[in-house]
Amino acid sequence: MTVVRYIPTDPFAPRLTDAPGERYVLAIDIGGTGMRVAVVDRGGWSLARARIPTQPQWGLIDATARLEALMREVMFEVGEVEIGAIGISTAGPVDPTTGIYRHPPNLPGWHGLSMIPALAASFGLPVVLGHDATLAALAETRFGTHRGARDLVYLTLSTGIGAGIVAGGRPVTGSTGGAGEAGHLIVQPGGPSCGAGCRGCLEGVASGSAIARAASEAPAGGLETSLTADADAAAVFAAAEVGDAVAREIVGAAIEGIATGLAGLLALLDPEAIVVGGGLVAGLDSWWDALLDRTREIALPRYGDGVPVERTTLGDDASLLGASLIAFEAVGG
Ligand SMILES: [Zn+2]
């Protein structure tokens, strides 16, 4: 188990954690691939953390039991510290109040179920839950480059695409917890479909799975390419990097879709920043300036001097940190 500490944005800021009797929370992040647990303080510093595979196909009850065992292991590791609450960040769709999932594509079989009651009973602690992208946006306003921002969007570019929105200092959840589905904004009418079936949405055009699908169809076009039918998004980015024309075309189409989506989000929400995270960001590195240029071209004229679009500085931990924030909020900040 590793102890990970974050460098505060302002190293001279008073550390609440120096106060005696400081409380901690258990922060949990649940994705389609892995479940993570960390004991986190108010400053976003983690005393201990651990990760196990989610294995969603074994069902929510099984996942809850394995998660509970991991939580106890991590608590044992840190010894005698006071844990105030449990905060959960999860892939959705999910009702943030009840924790009940609604046909979550990456957690198949979890529909209609919640792990909140079992965890609350087992630990005797308040359990609060939020959508991972929403909590990542919240964490960016507290720990990221835009600390203190009241209007911010977190866009995650990964196997799927989603967004978390903070507006006027509050997370935007929508009437049923479904806000932030930026992946289904139409960016190329009539274009490729996402898994949900909308044609030409951002996820259908530019997600990791969309890029991999485009690569699998590419050799049929007759152009010479080093791409194989089973190439994933990382392989497409790598091939484009060394000049593969087909890969460059796929990456170009993804950039066009992402720029269109970003321009729409800027127009709709006027955020201080759109912070971009997720597994595709590393692959986009070489095209980052091109993406910003194209976004500026598409966006409203007032963005002519540049668009407030940045890559996250919180790595994979943004949603985990967001889970700690709602947990502290549950026990009175
Ligand atoms: Zn869609």
Side-chain angles (χ1 to χ4, degrees):
M1 207 162 301
T2 46
V3 176
V4 174
R5 313 205 86 189
Y6 292 98
I7 300 163
T9 309
D10 172 8
F12 302 108
R15 297 303 314 280
L16 291 170
T17 49
D18 293 339
E22 169 61 30
R23 283 209 285 194
Y24 293 83
V25 295
L26 269 173
I28 294 166
D29 183 54
I30 300 169
T33 311
M35 298 193 286
R36 295 184 292 164
V37 175
V39 176
V40 182
D41 74 9
R42 269 173 225 277
W45 297 54
S46 109
L47 285 183
R49 56 197 295 156
R51 177 192 167 110
I52 50 172
T54 309
Q55 306 288 14
Q57 71 280 11
W58 295 348
L60 176 134
I61 292 169
D62 181 89
T64 307
R66 288 181 294 112
L67 183 63
E68 191 185 322
L70 188 69
M71 290 161 73
R72 295 205 182 280
E73 208 177 300
V74 169
M75 287 168 80
F76 178 78
E77 183 81 13
V78 299
E80 290 293 312
V81 301
E82 188 187 348
I83 304 286
I86 297 167
I88 303 173
S89 150
T90 179
V94 63
D95 182 323
T97 309
T98 60
I100 294 174
Y101 291 93
R102 278 190 304 268
H103 300 287
N106 297 314
L107 301 167
W110 292 26
H111 172 72
L113 302 171
S114 168
M115 54 173 67
I116 290 180
L119 293 179
S122 175
F123 289 89
L125 291 170
V127 181
V128 286
L129 178 145
H131 191 274
D132 49 10
T134 307
L135 296 187
L138 203 57
E140 291 289 345
T141 68
R142 188 71 67 89
F143 301 111
T145 312
H146 290 272
R147 199 160 87 163
R150 294 183 57 77
D151 293 274
L152 182 142
V153 176
Y154 181 92
L155 183 70
T156 174
L157 302 176
S158 189
T159 311
I161 294 178
I165 301 162
V166 173
R170 304 291 308 167
V172 174
T173 55
S175 61
T176 64
E181 292 286 0
H184 305 290
L185 293 171
I186 303 301
V187 296
Q188 186 190 321
S193 301
C194 70
C198 35
R199 291 189 61 81
C201 70
L202 183 53
E203 189 164 302
V205 170
S207 63
S209 48
I211 291 170
R213 192 193 50 236
S216 73
E217 292 164 357
L223 274 169
E224 206 170 303
T225 178
S226 62
L227 292 174
T228 54
D230 60 353
D232 61 7
V236 175
F237 283 119
E241 193 105 23
V242 295
D244 185 291
V246 173
R248 289 185 84 96
E249 200 169 299
I250 295 170
V251 170
I255 284 175
E256 186 70 16
I258 297 166
T260 307
L262 287 169
L265 290 169
L266 288 171
L268 185 67
L269 294 160
D270 182 24
E272 182 176 318
I274 299 179
V275 181
V276 184
L280 290 192
V281 174
L284 278 171
D285 215 36
S286 303
W287 288 274
W288 188 254
D289 289 342
L291 172 64
L292 295 190
D293 285 346
R294 187 64 187 132
T295 307
R296 186 174 45 77
E297 285 168 14
I298 299 172
L300 285 168
R302 69 192 177 96
Y303 291 110
D305 292 336
V307 287
V309 176
E310 295 161 27
R311 285 165 282 191
T312 182
T313 54
L314 299 178
D316 289 339
D317 284 336
S319 55
L320 196 62
L321 287 168
S324 79
L325 289 175
I326 56 167
F328 276 114
E329 201 172 277
V331 289

